[in-house]
Amino acid sequence: MTFGFAPASAAASASAASANRLLEPAEWAAAGIPLLRSPREVVSGLHARHHPQPATAVIAVLDPDERLRASASFVRRPAPADGWMFRNVLLAQLRRIIPHDLRRRTPVRTAVLLYCREGDARWTEEDGAWMWGLRDACTLHGLRCGAYITLTRDGWQVLGEDRGGRRPHSASAPEPFATSETPPPQPRTGGAASEILRRAAAAR
């Protein structure tokens, strides 16, 4: 009789399948993920929009000029890290915020994922599961798979690359929108002093 071996074999198969639903940093780097031209601007913009706290994921879609087209944030439920489950959650969010590009021969828009978590910036199996889920969700939605970025107390880090920064971090206050685009204040005109200067110039 071999009744006792079937459940163990099934459990081992399920465990092996789950273990395969993650990507190691080397696999991610070898996948040809497009580099962000301005990663800090992307991170700061998403941080300002969504104010992520630990266990919050932010999925964003960028156009070819790296302008934000759509984004959504959600809190990760307490459960074992599984790339297949993460894929389903990310795909549901993408379907909610932007139409798919499956009719295009080559993807034009790129999806990036920012995940705010506890711990340091080193890769974890949870990160690997998010990477797997992001890559698969992008394929099913007709998007290019873009950067996976962690946000911790140490700052932000684009995994698979040597690019990161100290701000923003998981505990920092969000920066105001478009501070660099605010025009400088115009000089004030009018008043008694201006009138005196105008008359002096006219008398010359």
Side-chain angles (χ1 to χ4, degrees):
M1 290 289 201
T2 57
F3 294 114
F5 293 97
S9 177
S13 299
S15 176
S18 178
N20 289 332
R21 291 195 288 258
L22 61 84
L23 293 175
E24 300 275 351
E27 295 175 293
W28 183 256
I33 306 300
L35 302 179
L36 290 170
R37 291 193 297 270
S38 304
R40 189 186 186 284
E41 289 184 15
V42 172
V43 173
S44 297
L46 294 179
H47 186 262
R49 285 177 178 273
H50 295 279
H51 310 176
Q53 301 296 313
T56 302
V58 181
I59 183 73
V61 179
L62 310 178
D63 69 10
D65 294 323
E66 220 165 84
R67 290 175 298 198
L68 182 65
R69 287 305 177 199
S71 64
S73 61
F74 56 94
V75 177
R76 176 196 183 311
R77 294 180 179 178
D82 184 351
W84 185 77
M85 296 295 293
F86 290 168
R87 185 275 307 272
N88 291 343
V89 172
L90 292 172
L91 188 58
Q93 295 292 335
L94 288 171
R95 287 171 174 166
R96 185 174 66 84
I97 62 175
I98 201 161
H100 67 75
D101 278 347
L102 293 171
R103 294 179 181 176
R104 292 182 178 273
R105 290 188 177 182
T106 56
V108 174
R109 296 180 292 191
T110 303
V112 300
L113 180 62
L114 171 72
Y115 184 54
C116 182
R117 61 168 173 78
E118 302 288 359
D120 56 34
R122 288 177 293 184
W123 180 89
T124 66
E125 289 192 356
E126 183 184 24
D127 295 324
W130 279 118
M131 290 171 166
W132 191 97
L134 175 62
R135 186 186 64 177
D136 220 39
C138 288
T139 299
L140 294 173
H141 206 63
L143 301 171
R144 288 201 309 171
C145 179
Y148 172 70
I149 307 160
T150 57
L151 190 70
T152 66
R153 284 189 172 272
D154 295 335
W156 58 271
Q157 177 71 36
V158 184
L159 290 199
E161 304 177 27
D162 293 326
R163 294 196 293 175
R166 293 185 178 181
R167 295 190 64 87
H169 53 76
S170 60
S172 63
E175 297 179 1
F177 275 119
T179 52
S180 61
E181 297 178 5
T182 304
Q186 295 293 323
R188 301 177 106 185
T189 58
S194 295
E195 182 63 19
I196 292 172
L197 290 173
R198 186 185 65 77
R199 289 179 180 176
R204 289 177 183 174

